[in-house]
């Protein structure tokens, strides 16, 4: 296929091969043009290694919500998560983890962060 350009009374013809070569000089490689169909969108997988963190800490039970599977702890620094001491609410993996504790009990726990969610996966009594 030839493309003709008419400029100031003369006709210039460029071949499709020349046009393709020029276009190739200014285009991105196919891999950079669009994400692969199998690649998830950014933030689509909460289990991505960069999004998932695990840590452990010690604290004191401040409130128990068995129906909501939530536990409020006043905790020290949580190692592995760069989280300073504070009082906060956690979701527990299993409501049965809460059955052995009451407000004021010292506890040791393991927690997993998946995206913005914090989940206590292990909970045991700690020494005072």
């Amino acid at each position: 296929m030839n493309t003709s350009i008419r400029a100031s009374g003369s006709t210039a013809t460029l071949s499709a091969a020349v046009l393709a070569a020029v276009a190739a000089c200014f285009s991105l490689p196919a891999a950079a043009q669009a994400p692969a169909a199998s690649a998830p969108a950014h933030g689509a997988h909460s289990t991505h290694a960069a999004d998932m963190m695990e840590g452990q800490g010690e604290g004191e039970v401040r409130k128990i919500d068995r129906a909501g599977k939530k536990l409020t702890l006043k905790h020290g620094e949580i190692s592995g998560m760069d989280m300073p001491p504070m009082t906060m609410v956690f979701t527990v993996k299993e409501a049965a983890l809460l059955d052995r504790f009451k407000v004021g009990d010292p506890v040791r726990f393991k927690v997993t962060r998946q995206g913005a969610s914090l989940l206590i996966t292990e909970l045991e009594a700690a020494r005072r």
Side-chain angles (χ1 to χ4, degrees):
M1 171 176 140
N2 289 338
T3 303
S4 296
I5 300 173
R6 189 165 189 93
S8 62
S10 66
T11 304
T13 304
L14 300 174
S15 70
V18 171
L19 286 174
V22 170
C25 291
F26 294 102
S27 66
L28 295 172
Q33 290 178 5
S38 63
H42 179 69
H45 283 307
S46 61
T47 57
H48 187 271
D51 294 339
M52 189 170 160
M53 297 174 68
E54 294 181 346
Q56 54 189 4
E58 292 190 11
E60 180 182 303
V61 175
R62 291 298 177 106
K63 184 177 178 182
I64 299 172
D65 176 3
R66 286 179 176 80
K69 291 176 33 176
K70 299 202 182 285
L71 179 66
T72 303
L73 293 177
K74 179 179 180 183
H75 64 79
E77 182 178 347
I78 298 178
S79 65
M81 297 186 115
D82 194 29
M83 186 176 294
M86 67 179 80
T87 299
M88 63 185 296
V89 178
F90 295 89
T91 302
V92 294
K93 184 177 180 178
E94 301 169 11
L97 289 173
L98 302 174
D99 292 340
R100 299 177 294 154
F101 301 99
K102 65 184 183 314
V103 172
D105 284 349
V107 293
R108 269 194 301 270
F109 59 93
K110 288 189 180 177
V111 63
T112 300
R113 178 190 314 229
Q114 295 178 339
S117 300
L118 293 173
L119 180 69
I120 290 181
T121 57
E122 294 180 32
L123 186 65
E124 62 184 34
R127 294 183 189 164
R128 288 191 188 250

